[in-house]
Amino acid sequence: MQRVFVLDKNKKPLMPCNPARARRLLKSGKAAVYCRYPFTIILKDREGGDMQPIQVKIDPGSKVTGIAVVVEFKRGLCCVWASELPHRGGQIRDGLLRRRQLRRGRRTRKLRYRQARFDNRKRPDGWLAPSLMSRVYNIETWVKRLMRYIPITHLAMELVKFDTQAMVKPEIRGVDYQQGELWGYEVREYLLEKFGRKCVYCDAKNVPLEIEHIIPKSRGGSNRLSNLTLACHPCNQKKGNQTADEFSYPNVQKLAKMPLKDASVVNATRWKLYQTLQSFCLPIEIGTGGRTKYNRARQNYPKTHWLDAVCVGESGQVVFVSPNHQPLVIKAVGRGNRQMTKPDKYGFPRATRQRKKVYFGNDQT
Ligand SMILES: [Zn+2]
């Protein structure tokens, strides 16, 4: 059940409370509604209160980001609030494209005699496209907002898809990790991504795939990533004690040696988000995508963005989520439009807009 955010009389955040308790407080007049989305009440005559460790966990996605608030009670971790934040990356891209086309049209129409503009624009370091930056801003806005309503003690986010460092050199994480279930899980996910979710020998898709040693273990092959691939059961059996070379697939050997580039590199948007979150001066826990999936599968939670956020990182191993928990669905609406003239389909100005902007998500135009 989503808990209700509580502020004390000085607008300092307190621990979120049960909806039933909030209802009682509101009925008896001890509290008033402070904000409706997210639902927050303000206590009229209380200052301060008991605090528990409270963490905001984020699973940044390209279309939807999951946000979860997890409290460490004595009985264990418990998800008390969750939300899903759909981004408007596509909308921003389309808007910029429209503006560019309009300006290009105007320039060629009216200023054909003018010399081509010298390309003197320079992008600052760490520049990201506006559609990507909007995702970072959306999440930053919500973390800031949550900081006003709950006493956050730490943050968590999914930073990378795979922990390739740890996979290539498992010894840096110790024997537990190397021989553990999680290592196997992350390696499997990594191989699925690398070899396109099919058998490398017969291209069979949608069949159970087995982790296969290119140089068989019985002939001295190692467990390293560069010696592993995925094969269906019949191919694995047929290959038996041969190397991939002897099985007449020399290219498999070459392919396995190449590291998976894009997935192992930290995604630029996530990295930017990580840097932004660091500015809040709270400890940040980092998790991998493999770990999130592993935690979610172990706890039998369905695949949703907010449950992924709950399962991010090491602290996502055991988190209680009420079975009928419904997340708050947020809509990013942007900051309005500054365009004063509406062009027709040929790019000629046709109508002027009213001098009104969008306030609090209500489109008044
Ligand atoms: Zn096969």
Side-chain angles (χ1 to χ4, degrees):
M1 186 89 78
Q2 293 276 81
R3 292 208 170 196
V4 175
F5 297 154
V6 185
L7 301 178
D8 76 358
K9 69 174 193 184
N10 301 326
K11 296 186 187 173
K12 287 258 155 48
L14 301 175
M15 293 306 287
C17 77
N18 275 322
R21 190 163 168 215
R23 217 173 291 131
R24 265 202 312 277
L25 286 164
L26 287 170
K27 244 182 199 161
S28 63
K30 284 182 183 160
V33 176
Y34 184 76
C35 175
R36 280 167 61 200
Y37 300 102
F39 196 72
T40 311
I41 58 172
I42 182 162
L43 298 176
K44 289 179 180 170
D45 55 354
R46 227 181 88 196
E47 263 178 283
D50 289 342
M51 297 288 176
Q52 279 113 6
I54 184 162
Q55 188 177 32
V56 170
K57 309 183 87 174
I58 301 159
D59 172 42
S62 62
K63 291 219 170 69
V64 181
T65 287
I67 302 175
V69 177
V70 172
V71 177
E72 202 181 316
F73 292 118
K74 271 183 197 131
R75 59 177 194 273
L77 294 170
C78 180
C79 173
V80 297
W81 190 85
S83 73
E84 288 193 345
L85 174 60
H87 296 298
R88 48 196 295 278
Q91 253 171 288
I92 290 173
R93 196 199 49 228
D94 295 346
L96 287 173
L97 181 71
R98 227 175 299 126
R99 186 178 77 180
R100 195 160 63 233
Q101 284 170 339
L102 176 75
R103 289 183 175 174
R104 170 60 53 194
R106 190 167 59 204
R107 191 179 171 84
T108 46
R109 198 164 62 240
K110 293 190 172 168
L111 305 164
R112 257 179 290 187
Y113 50 85
R114 193 186 276 180
Q115 257 185 344
R117 191 170 63 186
F118 178 58
D119 185 13
N120 59 354
R121 305 294 195 273
K122 193 170 170 254
R123 282 169 181 169
D125 284 342
W127 180 89
L128 279 181
S131 55
L132 303 179
M133 248 353 252
S134 86
R135 287 172 197 149
V136 177
Y137 291 143
N138 287 162
I139 299 170
E140 190 192 2
T141 303
W142 268 90
V143 173
K144 272 186 182 163
R145 190 164 294 161
L146 289 174
M147 278 172 101
R148 288 210 299 272
Y149 299 141
I150 43 178
I152 304 175
T153 53
H154 44 309
L155 301 168
M157 72 168 284
E158 191 185 297
L159 187 61
V160 283
K161 214 162 182 187
F162 307 103
D163 194 350
T164 25
Q165 266 256 298
M167 277 194 288
V168 176
K169 266 200 227 165
E171 47 285 6
I172 58 168
R173 286 292 176 84
V175 182
D176 277 358
Y177 182 77
Q178 189 176 1
Q179 292 165 357
E181 228 179 306
L182 177 63
W183 184 78
Y185 198 87
E186 281 210 73
V187 165
R188 215 187 137 73
E189 284 295 311
Y190 177 86
L191 292 173
L192 282 169
E193 186 87 22
K194 185 169 171 180
F195 294 102
R197 290 168 197 278
K198 59 186 183 192
C199 169
V200 283
Y201 300 116
C202 69
D203 288 345
K205 273 186 179 174
N206 301 321
V207 290
L209 296 172
E210 296 168 352
I211 292 184
E212 210 263 329
H213 291 79
I214 294 169
I215 298 171
K217 264 180 123 176
S218 59
R219 291 171 59 185
S222 75
N223 263 338
R224 298 187 76 106
L225 280 183
S226 54
N227 192 40
L228 296 177
T229 183
L230 287 170
C232 63
H233 187 69
C235 287
N236 201 354
Q237 290 292 310
K238 226 192 312 176
K239 181 169 168 280
N241 203 18
Q242 302 169 67
T243 64
D245 235 346
E246 291 162 358
F247 194 50
S248 55
Y249 284 92
N251 57 330
V252 170
Q253 193 100 53
K254 266 186 227 144
L255 205 65
K257 281 261 159 65
M258 286 193 299
L260 174 58
K261 280 226 177 79
D262 2 330
S264 58
V265 174
V266 181
N267 181 314
T269 318
R270 287 183 180 195
W271 188 248
K272 191 89 185 174
L273 177 66
Y274 179 59
Q275 287 171 327
T276 311
L277 293 182
Q278 273 177 329
S279 68
F280 293 127
C281 297
L282 291 168
I284 306 174
E285 184 191 347
I286 295 165
T288 65
R291 174 128 223 169
T292 305
K293 207 169 165 191
Y294 172 76
N295 286 343
R296 180 163 52 74
R298 281 243 305 218
Q299 297 176 87
N300 283 326
Y301 290 148
K303 170 146 186 50
T304 57
H305 298 281
W306 68 277
L307 279 168
D308 268 349
V310 167
C311 295
V312 161
E314 224 173 314
S315 62
Q317 278 175 346
V318 186
V319 183
F320 174 76
V321 178
S322 153
N324 49 13
H325 194 122
Q326 288 291 325
L328 175 71
V329 179
I330 303 167
K331 191 180 167 203
V333 290
R335 295 196 181 90
N337 193 342
R338 286 194 301 145
Q339 191 179 17
M340 294 311 291
T341 310
K342 272 188 173 171
D344 64 8
K345 64 176 175 176
Y346 304 107
F348 290 102
R350 274 298 167 263
T352 46
R353 281 177 152 227
Q354 281 184 308
R355 283 190 173 271
K356 262 186 189 171
K357 281 198 94 175
V358 178
Y359 293 109
F360 303 116
N362 296 320
D363 195 349
Q364 291 170 347
T365 48

